[in-house]
Structure formats: C-alpha cells, structure tokens
Amino acid sequence: LEINVELWSEQEYKSILSLEEEGDDLFENGFFGKSSQIYTNAILQSEVLINEGSLLFNQYIEDGYKSLAEKNQLKAEDLFKKAIMIFPDSESALNGLSRAGVLEDVLKIKEEVELLMKINSFDDALLLLQKASNLDDKNEEIISLKLKLEKLTLERDLRLFIEKGYLSLEKKDFSSSRSAFKEAIKIDRYSTAAISGLRAVDEGEKKEILPEDKINDLEDKLKRTFAEM
C-alpha cells in the first residue's frame, strides 16, 4: 500500500519537502557534508511519519469495525474515511466504508426478517434476508440469522414430508408415501419417523400384494381341477 502523507499530514509533509529543498541547495553549492546531514534528517522524519501513519491507520481500522459491530454507522464511516486518507487503496478501509454505508438498510431488513420468522413465514424471510446478504455478506448478525433460518426451514420441511408420508400411507398411496419419506431422509438420514415410515410402506405394499397371490393360487387350483375332470 502507498501511504498518502501529503493528504493526512500536510504540515509534516511540507516540513520534509522544505528539508529536501534545503539539501538540494546545499548540494548544488558544493556543501556536500551539510546536504548529506539534511537529507538524512529528511529521511528520518519521513520514516517516523510513515510509522505514525501506519499506527494511526491500524487504530482507525480497528475502531471502525468496532463501531460497525456496535451499529454506529456515522462513527464507522468517519473512521474508515480517515483511514482511507492515509492508505487510499486499502481494501480493508474501502470495504469497511462500503459496509458502513449500507448498515442502516441491512438493519432494517433484519428487523423485517425477524417479524416474518415470528409468523413462521420462513421462505419469504429467506428471500428477504438474501437482499441483506447482497448488501453486506460479512455482517455477522445477518450470517447468524441466515444459519438459524435455514435450520428452521429444514426442520419445517422435515416435519411436512413426514406428515405427508403418513397421510399418504393411510390412503394406501404407497408411491407418494415412499417419495415423501425419502425426501425427509435427505434432510435427516437418522430420522426415526421417516425410517419407520418407509418400513410401514414396505409392509403395506406386501399386504396389498398378498390377496392377489391368493387369487392366483385359487385360479391355478381350479385349472388343475378342470384338467383332471
């Protein structure tokens, strides 16, 4: 990163330039020893200024992200702008400023999502939450809320598939029942209810097949009886 000394520390920067000009004059007039001392002094002051700038930059970044976590948008923006004055191309500072700029919108969406979750409208909540993620995919509250919402959605879907499986089983719609229980197992392969449901489907299908076997046996016996007559 290239430090922008001129922008954030104008007075010190002018002082260093003045020393360099003084050194140039001395050098041109043949005072090589004195010019060397002046140049050395200018270099030392530059190093000190750069170190101070780096320390200040790091502090601005740390305080900026802390303010962001505390939802203090204005303070965060101010700190990141100060950091950018020192290192204009800093990705950390630029990303921080970008995140601070959308913080209000992200928090508003978060509140709406939480309201939808209270009425179990998980699908709508997920769609809305994606908008917040698009604005700031590093926001820890949004990330945490998304994980929670995805878990709730899976738990709901698991419950619905199991309910559908048993309802279809009661209607002897074994194909639909088996399909529903398999979907449930995709969500939770250890689901006792889904595994038991599949076993019940197998047993139900066997019971449905058994009467046809008996009929076929009777037909075979009749054919043999008529053949012997």
Side-chain angles (χ1 to χ4, degrees):
L1 290 174
E2 184 176 348
I3 190 168
N4 193 344
V5 178
E6 183 179 2
L7 186 60
W8 71 272
S9 186
E10 184 177 358
Q11 184 175 351
E12 288 82 355
Y13 179 71
K14 287 181 177 180
S15 175
I16 293 170
L17 286 181
S18 179
L19 284 173
E20 290 179 352
E21 290 173 359
E22 183 181 351
D24 291 341
D25 290 338
L26 290 169
F27 186 84
E28 290 174 1
N29 288 293
F31 298 101
F32 303 119
K34 289 183 178 181
S35 65
S36 178
Q37 291 178 357
I38 295 297
Y39 286 140
T40 299
N41 191 19
I43 292 171
L44 290 174
Q45 286 192 28
S46 297
E47 290 176 349
V48 169
L49 194 58
I50 290 172
N51 288 333
E52 289 178 353
S54 297
L55 290 172
L56 195 58
F57 170 82
N58 291 333
Q59 191 62 56
Y60 285 148
I61 292 295
E62 181 180 343
D63 292 344
Y65 279 104
K66 183 179 179 182
S67 298
L68 200 59
E70 294 172 350
K71 304 174 187 176
N72 191 333
Q73 181 175 0
L74 295 178
K75 185 177 180 181
E77 285 181 328
D78 180 60
L79 289 164
F80 287 126
K81 285 177 180 178
K82 288 179 178 178
I84 290 171
M85 287 181 66
I86 300 174
F87 287 111
D89 298 325
S90 166
E91 185 176 344
S92 179
L94 291 170
N95 287 341
L97 182 60
S98 176
R99 290 183 57 196
V102 299
L103 180 60
E104 184 177 353
D105 293 333
V106 169
L107 293 177
K108 183 178 179 181
I109 292 174
K110 177 176 174 287
E111 290 179 359
E112 293 176 5
V113 168
E114 289 172 338
L115 287 174
L116 288 171
M117 289 173 67
K118 288 181 179 179
I119 59 173
N120 295 329
S121 187
F122 300 144
D123 294 327
D124 290 337
L126 272 174
L127 288 173
L128 189 57
L129 193 61
Q130 187 57 49
K131 292 183 179 180
S133 295
N134 292 339
L135 291 172
D136 182 2
D137 60 357
K138 298 292 190 299
N139 186 293
E140 292 185 3
E141 290 190 12
I142 295 300
I143 293 172
S144 177
L145 189 61
K146 187 176 181 180
L147 291 173
K148 179 180 178 181
L149 187 52
E150 288 174 346
K151 181 182 178 182
L152 289 171
T153 302
L154 286 175
E155 290 174 349
R156 178 206 62 187
D157 291 346
L158 176 64
R159 184 177 65 255
L160 290 176
F161 280 128
I162 289 174
E163 289 177 355
K164 181 181 178 181
Y166 281 105
L167 285 173
S168 298
L169 186 61
E170 288 181 5
K171 298 175 183 178
K172 296 185 178 180
D173 184 352
F174 301 118
S175 177
S176 295
S177 181
R178 183 184 297 280
S179 176
F181 287 132
K182 284 184 176 180
E183 289 298 320
I185 288 174
K186 286 181 183 179
I187 297 173
D188 180 6
R189 60 178 178 172
Y190 300 111
S191 170
T192 303
I195 293 171
S196 298
L198 279 177
R199 289 173 180 166
V201 169
D202 290 337
E203 293 175 0
E205 286 177 333
K206 290 177 181 178
K207 289 179 180 178
E208 287 294 302
I209 294 172
L210 188 59
E212 293 183 9
D213 290 342
K214 288 184 177 179
I215 291 173
N216 290 334
D217 288 343
L218 288 173
E219 288 179 347
D220 290 340
K221 287 181 180 179
L222 287 172
K223 287 179 182 179
R224 287 196 296 271
T225 300
F226 285 121
E228 292 173 355
M229 292 177 64

